[in-house]
Amino acid sequence: MVKEVWFNLPVNDLAKSREFFRAIGFKINPRFENSEDMVSVFVGENNINIMLFPKKTFQSFIQTEITDSKQSNEILISFDAESIAEVDELALKVESAGGKLYSKPQLSQGWLYGFGFLDLDDHRWNVLYMDYSKMK
């Protein structure tokens, strides 16, 4: 059955995107580390693959127009953090690397602490620390 899952995203500049994700702490997939055609970053302990492609290449895959991520989104990529401190640290890294916070770190529903950010190509990401002991 399924061995791996890849999320594919279009980007304007592969080199800048590679450095952005490296700067915020994601691992670069060594299989594609020196590729000029794609960048693969690993997210989480299970190494979920986020594949980044130049827009022209990405468009050839989907055979439709690419969504203008400044105007709308089709996906929100969410992942968890191990602590409130890790959430706050990652928010600082995102801003230092050139990303934008669209939702600053904050507590929600008494048990969720997180923030949302835009990467260099305005894809939306969501980082959460979930304290299940406080969940109602």
Side-chain angles (χ1 to χ4, degrees):
M1 191 65 177
V2 177
K3 295 187 319 184
E4 293 182 274
V5 174
W6 306 293
F7 293 95
N8 301 304
L9 296 173
V11 298
N12 290 310
D13 187 315
L14 282 175
K16 286 182 180 179
S17 291
R18 178 185 290 115
E19 290 313 309
F20 172 79
F21 286 105
R22 182 178 281 138
I24 68 170
F26 288 8
K27 295 180 287 184
I28 304 299
N29 182 341
R31 193 177 341 168
F32 304 109
E33 189 164 17
N34 298 314
S35 174
E36 294 180 14
D37 301 318
M38 69 185 80
V39 173
S40 171
V41 296
F42 288 139
V43 180
E45 293 174 1
N46 294 323
N47 288 333
I48 301 298
N49 254 316
I50 305 291
M51 302 293 292
L52 310 174
F53 293 96
K55 285 186 173 183
K56 185 175 181 179
T57 303
F58 184 85
Q59 192 162 26
S60 74
F61 297 157
I62 63 172
Q63 299 180 7
T64 62
E65 293 299 313
I66 296 172
T67 298
D68 180 353
S69 54
K70 290 184 185 297
Q71 302 297 317
S72 63
N73 291 95
E74 290 186 335
I75 189 169
L76 171 62
I77 302 170
S78 298
F79 59 93
D80 64 345
E82 293 186 25
S83 66
I84 289 173
E86 187 177 58
V87 170
D88 290 338
E89 180 182 329
L90 188 54
L92 292 173
K93 286 181 180 180
V94 165
E95 288 186 306
S96 294
K100 298 176 222 132
L101 303 188
Y102 67 82
S103 176
K104 298 218 181 267
Q106 59 187 307
L107 185 64
S108 173
Q109 302 174 35
W111 65 282
L112 296 170
Y113 184 80
F115 74 98
F117 72 92
L118 303 171
D119 65 19
L120 302 180
D121 294 282
D122 294 315
H123 300 119
R124 288 181 182 264
W125 298 76
N126 189 38
V127 182
L128 295 170
Y129 167 69
M130 298 172 275
D131 186 346
Y132 292 111
S133 70
K134 295 180 180 176
M135 186 176 168
K136 295 180 183 182

